[in-house]
Amino acid sequence: MKRAAILALLAAAAPVAADSGLPPAALAYTQLRDPAQEAEAKALMETIRCVVCQGQSVADSDADMAGDMRALIRQRIAAGEKPRAIREWLIARYGDYITYDPPLSGATLPLWLAPILLLALGAWVARGSFRRRKRRSE
């Protein structure tokens, strides 16, 4: 019992160990001077998934990795690189997982089909339930 409690405590503390304790990257929390460039950077950051967080964009995450990615995006935009090129580079480096709208491919087909299949399954179960209730009431 004690062993299970210790393991549960260690598992709960694992996210804390994910942060390095190092100071954040230079542009992680600092906006670009040019408002147009900052708007481009912010728009891109909102479409890029944090690789260490569950379902958060790099714009919303406080993880060190997300801060590094924000800084990288701002540095590249400040250097004149287009958001589309930065996005393609990030996808090439981290894979389709990093984007909230993965392209349709053999690997991502289950992601696209799962909601449709779950809706169809739910409709089928509901239909069966309604039919059984209708038969009982007759």
Side-chain angles (χ1 to χ4, degrees), residues 30-114:
T30 306
Q31 295 185 354
L32 295 172
R33 292 181 189 207
D34 182 1
Q37 285 183 333
E38 180 61 29
E40 285 181 337
K42 185 76 169 166
L44 177 59
M45 287 184 244
E46 290 172 354
T47 67
I48 301 297
R49 184 188 317 259
C50 176
V51 294
V52 295
C53 302
Q54 293 292 324
Q56 284 187 308
S57 70
V58 295
D60 298 330
S61 175
D62 288 330
D64 288 347
M65 181 67 177
D68 292 343
M69 291 177 83
R70 285 192 302 270
L72 176 109
I73 289 169
R74 285 185 174 123
Q75 288 168 354
R76 287 180 166 231
I77 285 182
E81 200 168 336
K82 296 292 178 198
R84 182 177 175 96
I86 299 167
R87 180 181 169 87
E88 289 171 2
W89 180 82
L90 287 167
I91 291 170
R93 182 167 183 173
Y94 295 103
D96 290 329
Y97 171 80
I98 201 161
T99 181
Y100 283 112
D101 57 344
L104 185 59
S105 69
T108 61
L109 191 61
L111 293 173
W112 289 99
L113 292 180

